């Protein structure tokens, strides 16, 4: 594998664009990035934005690469993989899929078998460089290839490995769906503060900054979230009253129930998708 690997993206949607932008900001060279998609007009806009090479030919795009990122919808993945299979069987690149629900064994079969393959579960904050991605590698993936995947996805946030593919369902329920959980909390806080008389724009700005600040503190601190929470609380104070209300209302159990529902649905969707192929 070359010192400066060539990375090809099959698919040019928002997530692919976010990853490319993050890579370039992290020092990857545009000359080593290829992108393919059926819409040439869209490709030309990506070329102008990032300075990368583009083509409407998926096979040609895959042929250039040390690492191929499959960034197409699950519904068209089988056709895309079958199309590029003869090429990747010859060049043997690292294959990376960001499609939810499609298992590594299925993807490998469509690609002709025996290829190093990594599944990645990114989330929507990746679009602003604050993503959290879960990664799983099959047995063919070498340590150096793992490092390459980490360098790509850490350019748009955090990239963490799981040892078993089934744990990607747990990742989906946590970081994949998680942004919506926090948006719900923002929505609820804004509504409560507005009811108390604060202008909605002010309430939203304060809630967003409070959430961002709390996340930054949690990321930088060696203390666990429980202790950070207690550090904000004073005996008989406002925070203590609010936390007691959350606890008495069963917030912890509700969060666990919601997480379990997302986890279960992730598994169900994977099975549904497999039946459609």
């Amino acid at each position: 594998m070359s010192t400066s690997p060539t990375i090809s993206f099959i698919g040019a949607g928002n997530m692919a664009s976010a990853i490319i932008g993050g890579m370039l900001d992290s020092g990857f060279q545009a000359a080593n990035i290829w992108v393919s998609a059926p819409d040439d007009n869209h490709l030309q806009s990506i070329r102008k934005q990032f300075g990368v090479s583009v083509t409407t030919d998926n096979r040609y795009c895959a042929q250039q690469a040390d690492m191929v990122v499959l960034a197409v919808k699950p519904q068209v993945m089988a056709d895309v993989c079958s199309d590029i299979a003869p090429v990747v069987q010859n060049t043997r690149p690292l294959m990376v899929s960001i499609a939810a629900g499609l298992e590594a064994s299925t993807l490998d079969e469509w690609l002709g078998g025996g290829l190093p393959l990594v599944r990645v579960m990114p989330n929507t904050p990746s679009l602003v460089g604050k993503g959290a991605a879960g990664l799983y590698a099959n047995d063919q993936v070498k340590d150096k290839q793992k490092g390459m995947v980490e360098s790509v996805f850490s350019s748009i946030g955090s990239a963490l490995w799981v040892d078993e593919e089934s744990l990607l369902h747990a990742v989906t329920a946590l970081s994949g769906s998680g942004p919506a959980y926090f948006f719900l909390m923002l929505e609820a806080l804004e509504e409560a503060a507005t009811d108390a008389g604060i202008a909605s724009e002010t309430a939203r700005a304060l809630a967003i900054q409070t959430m961002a600040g709390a996340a930054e503190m949690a990321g930088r601190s060696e203390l666990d979230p429980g202790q950070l929470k207690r550090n904000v609380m004073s005996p008989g104070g406002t925070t203590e009253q609010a936390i007691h209300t959350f606890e008495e209302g069963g917030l912890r159990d509700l969060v666990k129930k919601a997480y379990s529902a997302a986890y279960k649905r992730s598994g169900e969707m994977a099975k549904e998708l497999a039946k459609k192929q």
Side-chain angles (χ1 to χ4, degrees), residues 10 21 24 28-29 94 119 121 146-148 150 155 161 164 167 187 191-192 205 219-220 230 239 249 253 261 266 269:
I10 309 295
L24 295 175
F28 282 83
Q29 299 300 308
L94 170 64
R119 283 188 60 196
M121 185 71 236
K146 283 187 175 183
M148 182 162 56
E150 285 180 23
S155 74
W161 294 94
E164 299 177 17
L167 290 175
E187 187 179 32
E191 290 177 357
R220 292 188 183 191
R230 289 188 289 274
T239 307
D253 289 339
S266 179
M269 291 176 66

Side-chain angles (χ1 to χ4, degrees), residues 41-245:
N41 289 331
H42 180 54
L43 286 174
Q44 292 308 317
S45 67
I46 288 178
R47 181 185 63 79
K48 291 178 182 178
Q49 180 180 3
F50 297 120
V52 299
S53 300
V54 300
T55 176
T56 56
D57 188 334
N58 287 345
R59 289 190 179 190
Y60 186 77
C61 187
Q63 191 173 19
Q64 313 306 313
D66 297 300
M67 171 175 156
V68 177
V69 180
L70 299 169
V72 299
K73 295 180 179 179
Q75 293 79 3
V76 301
M77 185 68 81
D79 290 339
V80 168
C81 289
S82 297
D83 179 49
I84 66 174
V87 171
V88 296
Q89 281 296 318
N90 181 51
T91 57
R92 315 297 291 181
L94 170 64
M95 305 299 299
V96 177
S97 170
I98 62 172
L102 289 173
E103 295 185 350
S105 59
T106 300
L107 292 164
D108 189 48
E109 180 181 350
W110 290 342
L111 292 165
L115 292 174
L117 191 146
V118 172
R119 283 188 60 196
V120 181
M121 185 71 236
N123 65 359
T124 54
S126 300
L127 300 176
V128 293
K130 295 294 184 180
L135 288 66
Y136 167 78
N138 71 5
D139 293 337
Q140 305 298 321
V141 179
K142 299 177 181 178
D143 288 343
K144 187 174 182 179
Q145 292 173 318
K146 283 187 175 183
M148 182 162 56
V149 176
E150 285 180 23
S151 66
V152 168
F153 286 91
S154 64
S155 74
I156 54 169
S158 299
L160 302 170
W161 294 94
V162 296
D163 295 328
E164 299 177 17
E165 187 173 14
S166 61
L167 290 175
L168 288 179
H169 295 305
V171 171
T172 298
L174 178 57
S175 55
S177 299
Y181 311 159
F182 293 106
F183 294 148
L184 174 61
M185 176 62 98
L186 282 172
E187 187 179 32
L189 282 172
E190 180 186 344
E191 290 177 357
T194 301
D195 289 344
I198 299 178
S200 59
E201 296 83 359
T202 301
R204 181 175 302 175
L206 287 171
I208 290 172
Q209 185 58 34
T210 300
M211 184 171 289
E216 187 73 16
M217 286 186 67
R220 292 188 183 191
S221 178
E222 296 182 357
L223 301 176
D224 62 64
Q227 185 58 54
L228 289 172
K229 175 196 66 182
R230 289 188 289 274
N231 287 351
V232 185
M233 299 166 62
S234 300
T238 59
T239 307
E240 183 183 69
Q241 290 300 306
I243 294 300
H244 283 172
T245 302

